[in-house]
C-alpha cells in the first residue's frame, strides 16, 4: 500500500523551486495591420486573400525569436486585435479568430491602421519598430501616405504586402458553407476587386520599407522577416523566472525499495506469528 501511494505521488511529479534567474530579451517591435474588408474574401489566392494572409502570419510567428508582435485589424475603421506581446501562443490564438465580420464599417482605411499601430507601440524611442500592412489596397484612403510620413519621423519602418491579383476576382457570397453567388453593385453587376499594387508600392517607399506581392506559393513574409532582422534590437523586457526541479525520483526510489522488501518476504510464518495465531485459536 505504501509503495502504491509513493508511485502515485511520483507520477504526479512534485516540483520544488530551486532558484530564480533574470532573463533579458532583445528584439524588435512588430505591428501587423491586417485588412479584413469584404474584398479580402476574393479567391484569386487560395483559399482566399484573408485566409492566405492568416496562414502566412502563423508561419511568421513561428519564426520570431524574442521580437514582440501585435495585430491590428482594419477596414473602414481600425481596432487592436492583439496588444503588442511576446506571447506567441496568444498571437496565434487571436489570429485564428480574425474574420471579415470583425469590422462593421467597410472600406480600406490604411491611414487609421497606421495611426493605431503608432499608438500601440507606446512612447519608447528607437529604430526597432516596424509596421507590416497586409491588404489588397482597394478603396484606400489618401491619408495613408501622410500617416506613413508621420511614422517615418518617429523611426518606424512600414512594409506592405499586396494580397490579390491585378486581374482581380469577384467577391463570393456564402450562406453557411454554401456559395450563393458573388457580390453585386446597385446595378446588378458582379463586383471585381483588384490589387492596388501601385499605391502599396508608394506606401512602402514613403515608409522606407519594402513591398512584396503575395502569390499562392509565397506570401512574401520571408522577405519582410529578413528586413525585420536588420532592425536595431532593443532590450525591452526583464523578468524573473522560477526554475523548478523535479523531485519524483525520491518517491519512485521509495516505492522501489518497498516493492523489493515485499519480494524478499517469504511465506513462512515467524515463530512469534505462529504463537500469536495459536493463542488466538485456543481462545476461540
Amino acid at each position: 500500500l505504501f509503495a502504491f501511494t509513493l508511485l502515485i505521488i511520483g507520477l504526479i511529479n512534485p516540483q520544488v523551486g530551486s532558484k530564480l534567474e533574470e532573463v533579458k530579451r532583445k528584439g524588435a517591435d512588430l505591428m501587423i495591420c491586417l485588412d479584413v474588408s469584404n474584398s479580402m474574401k476574393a479567391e484569386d489566392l487560395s483559399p482566399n486573400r484573408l485566409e492566405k494572409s492568416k496562414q502566412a502570419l502563423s508561419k511568421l510567428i513561428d519564426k520570431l525569436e524574442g521580437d514582440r508582435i501585435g495585430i491590428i485589424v482594419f477596414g473602414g475603421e481600425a481596432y487592436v486585435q492583439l496588444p503588442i506581446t511576446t506571447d506567441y501562443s496568444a498571437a496565434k490564438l487571436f489570429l485564428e479568430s480574425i474574420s471579415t465580420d470583425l469590422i462593421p464599417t467597410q472600406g480600406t482605411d490604411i491611414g487609421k491602421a497606421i495611426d493605431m499601430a503608432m499608438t500601440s507601440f507606446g512612447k519608447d524611442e528607437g529604430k526597432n519598430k516596424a509596421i507590416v500592412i497586409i491588404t489588397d489596397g482597394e478603396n484606400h484612403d489618401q491619408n495613408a501616405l501622410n500617416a506613413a510620413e508621420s511614422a517615418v519621423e518617429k523611426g518606424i519602418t512600414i512594409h506592405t504586402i499586396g494580397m490579390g491579383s491585378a486581374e482581380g476576382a469577384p467577391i463570393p457570397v456564402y450562406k453557411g458553407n454554401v456559395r450563393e453567388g458573388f457580390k453585386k453593385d446597385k446595378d446588378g453587376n458582379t463586383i471585381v476587386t483588384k490589387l492596388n499594387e501601385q499605391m502599396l508600392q508608394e506606401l512602402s517607399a514613403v515608409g522606407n520599407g519594402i513591398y512584396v506581392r503575395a502569390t499562392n506559393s509565397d506570401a512574401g513574409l520571408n522577405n519582410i522577416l529578413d528586413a525585420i532582422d536588420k532592425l536595431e534590437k532593443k532590450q525591452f523586457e526583464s523578468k524573473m523566472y522560477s526554475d523548478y526541479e523535479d523531485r519524483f525520483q525520491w518517491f519512485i526510489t521509495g516505492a522501489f525499495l518497498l516493492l523489493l522488501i515485499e519480494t524478499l518476504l517469504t511465506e513462512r510464518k515467524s515463530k512469534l506469528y505462529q504463537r500469536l495465531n495459536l493463542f488466538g485459536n485456543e481462545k476461540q
Side-chain angles (χ1 to χ4, degrees):
L1 180 60
F2 284 133
F4 180 75
T5 302
L6 291 176
L7 281 174
I8 295 298
I9 297 175
L11 290 174
I12 295 174
N13 189 20
Q15 294 179 320
V16 178
S18 59
K19 63 180 179 179
L20 292 174
E21 61 179 2
E22 187 175 4
V23 177
K24 297 180 180 180
R25 308 181 69 172
K26 287 187 176 182
D29 286 348
L30 178 63
M31 289 300 300
I32 305 294
C33 297
L34 180 57
D35 186 356
V36 293
S37 59
N38 282 333
S39 61
M40 292 292 284
K41 293 180 180 178
E43 297 174 348
D44 45 0
L45 292 178
S46 179
N48 60 45
R49 296 175 183 176
L50 180 58
E51 290 302 318
K52 181 67 175 179
S53 302
K54 291 167 61 176
Q55 292 171 6
L57 279 176
S58 181
K59 293 179 180 178
L60 171 67
I61 293 171
D62 290 336
K63 295 180 180 179
L64 293 178
E65 295 180 359
D67 302 303
R68 296 194 299 181
I69 186 172
I71 301 175
I72 290 173
V73 294
F74 71 95
E77 298 289 339
Y79 300 96
V80 176
Q81 176 74 359
L82 174 71
I84 196 161
T85 180
T86 55
D87 189 342
Y88 300 147
S89 297
K92 296 184 77 169
L93 184 64
F94 276 86
L95 181 64
E96 285 298 318
S97 65
I98 293 177
S99 71
T100 55
D101 298 327
L102 291 177
I103 306 295
T105 306
Q106 284 302 303
T108 308
D109 197 332
I110 300 175
K112 288 184 179 179
I114 295 175
D115 290 338
M116 182 70 70
M118 287 191 290
T119 302
S120 300
F121 281 131
K123 298 181 180 180
D124 292 338
E125 299 294 334
K127 297 181 179 180
N128 66 317
K129 301 176 178 64
I131 298 173
V132 179
I133 300 170
I134 304 177
T135 178
D136 53 27
E138 193 174 51
N139 298 327
H140 71 282
D141 190 282
Q142 293 296 331
N143 292 329
L145 296 179
N146 295 332
E149 291 175 353
S150 299
V152 171
E153 291 175 358
K154 296 181 179 180
I156 302 172
T157 304
I158 297 179
H159 306 290
T160 57
I161 298 178
M163 307 300 296
S165 62
E167 298 77 19
I171 303 172
V173 177
Y174 284 90
K175 186 174 183 180
N177 294 323
V178 180
R179 180 191 291 176
E180 292 188 329
F182 296 98
K183 192 174 181 62
K184 300 181 183 298
D185 60 20
K186 60 182 180 180
D187 297 323
N189 300 315
T190 299
I191 298 174
V192 176
T193 171
K194 299 179 180 180
L195 171 64
N196 191 342
E197 195 163 34
Q198 181 179 353
M199 189 280 296
L200 295 177
Q201 289 172 337
E202 292 177 1
L203 185 59
S204 62
V206 172
N208 292 333
I210 61 175
Y211 166 75
V212 179
R213 178 176 172 180
T215 64
N216 277 316
S217 59
D218 181 19
L221 279 173
N222 286 333
N223 295 332
I224 301 294
L225 189 61
D226 291 339
I228 293 170
D229 287 338
K230 296 176 183 178
L231 289 173
E232 172 186 321
K233 302 297 182 180
K234 182 178 180 180
Q235 182 176 308
F236 53 78
E237 187 177 33
S238 179
K239 290 186 177 180
M240 302 299 288
Y241 290 91
S242 295
D243 184 20
Y244 293 100
E245 289 188 357
D246 297 329
R247 300 299 186 189
F248 69 91
Q249 302 94 331
W250 296 354
F251 300 96
I252 298 298
T253 301
F256 174 77
L257 291 175
L258 289 176
L259 291 174
L260 181 62
I261 295 172
E262 175 79 11
T263 58
L264 295 177
L265 291 177
T266 65
E267 294 183 358
R268 291 181 302 171
K269 301 184 178 74
S270 67
K271 294 182 178 180
L272 177 61
Y273 181 84
Q274 291 175 354
R275 290 174 182 174
L276 290 174
N277 190 43
L278 178 62
F279 176 72
N281 292 333
E282 288 178 352
K283 287 185 65 177
Q284 291 177 1

